[in-house]
Amino acid sequence: MSMIDAANRAKLNSYQDTVINYITKENGHILAVSDDQAFCTQLRLTLAKEMGLTAQSIFTAVADPRMMLRELRDILARHPAPLIFMERSIGGQDLSFLVGQIKQAFTALKIIVLTSDVQRDRLMLLHEVGADNFIAKPVSANTLIEKMAFTLKPQSKLGQVIDVAKRLLAQKKYDMALTACQKVLQLKPGSAAAFLLMGDIFRATQQYDKARIAYESAAKSADLYLAPLQRLAEMYAEIGDVPQQVRYLEKLDSISPLNVNRKVSLGEAHLANGDVEKAEAFFEKAVVQMNREAADGLSALSSRIAGIYGERDPEKAEKFLRNSLEAKGKRLGREDLALFNQLGISLRRQGRWQDAITEYKRAIKIAPDDPTLYYNVGMAFAEGADFIQAKANLVKALDLEPEMVKSSASIACNFGAVFLQSGDRDRSVQFFQLALALKPGMKLALQGLERAKK
């Protein structure tokens, strides 16, 4: 084993020890709020196989957010500080608001948000409302362990001293907390976390000018660190300085623009300051943002329902997919390509290959370099027996992604069938042979190869 491998193994062992200690010595409990069965299984196996934590009493999973609060109250009666894994959205319902509510009501628990959406604005909002950490799925077992460890406990000496300072502040031992912060600054000059805590200490003791200097130092040390700006806005609201409160609220809004409540606070502050037009503008922005969130939720929910209908009732699936696309209105983007693909498949299942092509071409206007869309257009033309157009679109897909044909035996076989029907026997043979290399004995590929060689 190399020195690097040994060091990585030692780190992983340390992370495992943190999680094991949390469960076995701190009476910890893990709650997964997720409809992703694969993730829940992976999490349970990681606890059991990687760390030997096999007791059923340490892990709870719920797929319905409505069940979460009941489960959480039951867990909190037995475990003081549970660790929660929570999907950013379930069934089209955005759970960002739930993160904030839970963190306000139960300050001791920790929340790791699960998401496949890594848009900066969305992550900033989740951080603001109280998310302690994030996991972008899919995730490896080692990364899962590391995320849990860092969420439960600082993994460096610096982080541990900061934790001590936080505890001293909570106990109102202000002089000792300030000394701990100064120790942090000795370990790491310019530490944003230390300056933030110093600001909290000075604010608690009503030394507002010193608090301002400390918070501003924290903000300068980390450009996208929202906490010092939030504290400054709160402090100026506390002392009745509306113009300064507005100044920092607007800075926060420019960094994290999805926070509806802050837009309302900005409107309220401008109104108190006598600026009626600005107040109205922020109130309108808040309503627009809320409508956008609702539309995104409706779109995701409709897509999920369409997936349930699937092959059983493609007409119903089409109806809900169209609802999903309509809900997004003019805000359709690359993240919506899956909806167009689902809709095209539903139409093809109904024999409406021409309508499917129309929808795929709408998607191509959004993402003209997406090879999957051209492949789907090609297959729709093939279903309509227009093999010349089918081949032209498959060639385009292959130009954009030469490895596509190697990704699946079925795809390679489909290429072979289309090229054979269009009269290109030599290339069809290559595709059928590739399909058989990927899946030896594949019946359709063997039959296609036989026809191509006649």
Side-chain angles (χ1 to χ4, degrees):
M1 182 183 292
S2 70
M3 290 181 65
I4 293 174
D5 289 341
N8 288 338
R9 185 68 247 177
K11 280 185 181 179
L12 183 59
N13 288 339
S14 173
Y15 301 152
Q16 288 177 343
D17 289 345
T18 296
V19 179
I20 293 167
N21 185 69
Y22 164 73
I23 294 293
T24 59
K25 295 182 181 178
E26 298 175 13
N27 192 25
H29 189 88
I30 293 171
L31 170 64
V33 184
S34 173
D35 58 349
D36 184 343
Q37 189 58 49
F39 173 80
C40 292
T41 300
Q42 181 190 19
L43 178 55
R44 194 185 296 274
L45 288 174
T46 299
L47 293 169
K49 289 190 173 181
E50 302 293 333
M51 291 175 279
L53 299 169
T54 56
Q56 289 188 347
S57 59
I58 68 168
F59 181 79
T60 305
V62 293
D64 187 343
R66 292 172 298 181
M67 300 290 292
M68 177 186 177
L69 289 178
R70 188 170 70 183
E71 287 288 348
L72 188 55
R73 288 191 188 97
D74 182 55
I75 291 166
L76 283 163
R78 294 172 283 113
H79 307 279
L83 173 64
I84 301 176
F85 288 86
M86 186 187 299
E87 295 286 350
R88 186 186 73 76
S89 66
I90 293 180
Q93 180 184 359
D94 190 312
L95 302 187
S96 302
F97 77 98
L98 195 54
V99 173
Q101 287 181 334
I102 292 167
K103 287 292 284 190
Q104 284 182 355
F106 311 107
T107 54
L109 56 74
K110 303 285 189 181
I111 298 178
I112 299 176
V113 173
L114 307 170
T115 181
S116 54
D117 175 2
V118 290
Q119 290 181 345
R120 175 183 168 278
D121 290 349
R122 178 64 57 186
L123 295 184
M124 295 297 273
L125 174 63
L126 286 164
H127 175 71
E128 272 198 89
V129 298
D132 295 286
N133 216 325
F134 304 91
I135 286 178
K137 297 186 296 181
V139 60
S140 69
N142 287 355
T143 300
L144 195 51
I145 294 167
E146 182 179 340
K147 289 281 186 178
M148 283 191 279
F150 273 92
T151 305
L152 291 167
K153 179 184 174 184
Q155 297 296 303
S156 66
K157 184 178 179 182
L158 182 70
Q160 290 162 10
V161 178
I162 288 169
D163 258 14
V164 169
K166 286 179 179 177
R167 285 197 295 271
L168 291 168
L169 173 58
Q171 295 164 9
K172 298 184 179 180
K173 297 178 180 178
Y174 300 123
D175 289 340
M176 293 174 69
L178 200 55
T179 300
C181 289
Q182 288 163 350
K183 184 177 179 181
V184 172
L185 289 171
Q186 288 172 359
L187 291 167
K188 183 184 177 183
S191 167
F195 282 127
L196 182 72
L197 276 169
M198 289 172 69
D200 289 344
I201 294 164
F202 291 132
R203 183 176 159 199
T205 54
Q206 297 186 342
Q207 299 178 69
Y208 293 117
D209 197 49
K210 287 184 177 180
R212 174 188 61 79
I213 293 169
Y215 286 144
E216 287 179 350
S217 297
K220 285 176 185 175
S221 296
D223 290 341
L224 297 180
Y225 194 21
L226 296 175
L229 301 178
Q230 289 170 329
R231 300 285 212 286
L232 282 162
E234 290 165 4
M235 186 182 81
Y236 283 118
E238 189 178 300
I239 63 179
D241 189 334
V242 176
Q244 286 285 47
Q245 178 197 4
V246 168
R247 176 189 169 203
Y248 285 104
L249 284 173
E250 289 184 340
K251 278 190 175 183
L252 283 163
D253 192 58
S254 67
I255 296 170
S256 177
L258 301 185
N259 193 318
V260 174
N261 290 327
R262 180 165 47 249
K263 284 179 167 58
V264 174
S265 296
L266 271 162
E268 187 177 16
H270 279 300
L271 202 58
N273 212 28
D275 197 330
V276 177
E277 287 186 8
K278 279 191 176 180
E280 186 177 358
F282 275 105
F283 289 142
E284 287 178 352
K285 285 178 182 177
V287 171
V288 167
Q289 182 61 42
M290 187 59 78
N291 286 337
R292 181 176 292 132
E293 296 288 344
D296 287 346
L298 176 60
S299 175
L301 181 61
S302 296
S303 175
R304 184 182 178 193
I305 293 170
I308 293 168
Y309 277 115
E311 294 181 26
R312 285 175 286 187
D313 194 335
E315 288 185 16
K316 288 274 195 330
E318 178 197 350
K319 171 188 169 184
F320 282 99
L321 286 165
R322 290 196 185 281
N323 286 347
S324 188
L325 291 167
E326 285 169 12
K328 297 299 287 285
K330 294 180 180 179
R331 295 184 299 104
L332 290 166
R334 283 182 173 271
E335 66 276 11
D336 301 304
L337 295 182
L339 291 175
F340 283 105
N341 281 324
Q342 276 183 277
L343 179 55
I345 290 167
S346 293
L347 291 166
R348 285 161 58 191
R349 282 173 178 158
Q350 298 173 58
R352 295 163 56 192
W353 60 272
Q354 290 167 311
D355 290 338
I357 289 169
T358 299
E359 299 303 332
Y360 290 140
K361 287 186 174 178
R362 281 179 65 196
I364 286 171
K365 288 181 181 178
I366 296 170
D369 57 351
D370 188 288
T372 302
L373 291 172
Y374 288 99
Y375 171 77
N376 286 338
V377 171
M379 295 313 299
F381 271 118
E383 286 166 19
D386 187 341
F387 294 106
I388 300 303
Q389 283 295 328
K391 178 185 174 182
N393 280 278
L394 292 189
V395 167
K396 177 67 174 176
L398 212 52
D399 287 342
L400 290 168
E401 180 48 76
E403 298 299 306
M404 170 187 274
V405 76
K406 299 177 183 178
S407 64
S408 155
S410 294
I411 289 175
C413 191
N414 287 338
F415 268 81
V418 167
F419 274 68
L420 177 60
Q421 292 287 354
S422 67
D424 192 340
R425 288 177 176 271
D426 290 341
R427 292 194 70 188
S428 73
V429 167
Q430 295 172 17
F431 292 127
F432 287 131
Q433 287 173 337
L434 177 58
L436 289 167
L438 293 168
K439 187 178 179 181
M442 184 180 185
K443 189 174 179 180
L444 286 174
L446 286 169
Q447 291 172 346
L449 189 59
E450 186 179 344
R451 289 198 304 273
K453 289 184 173 179
K454 282 182 179 178

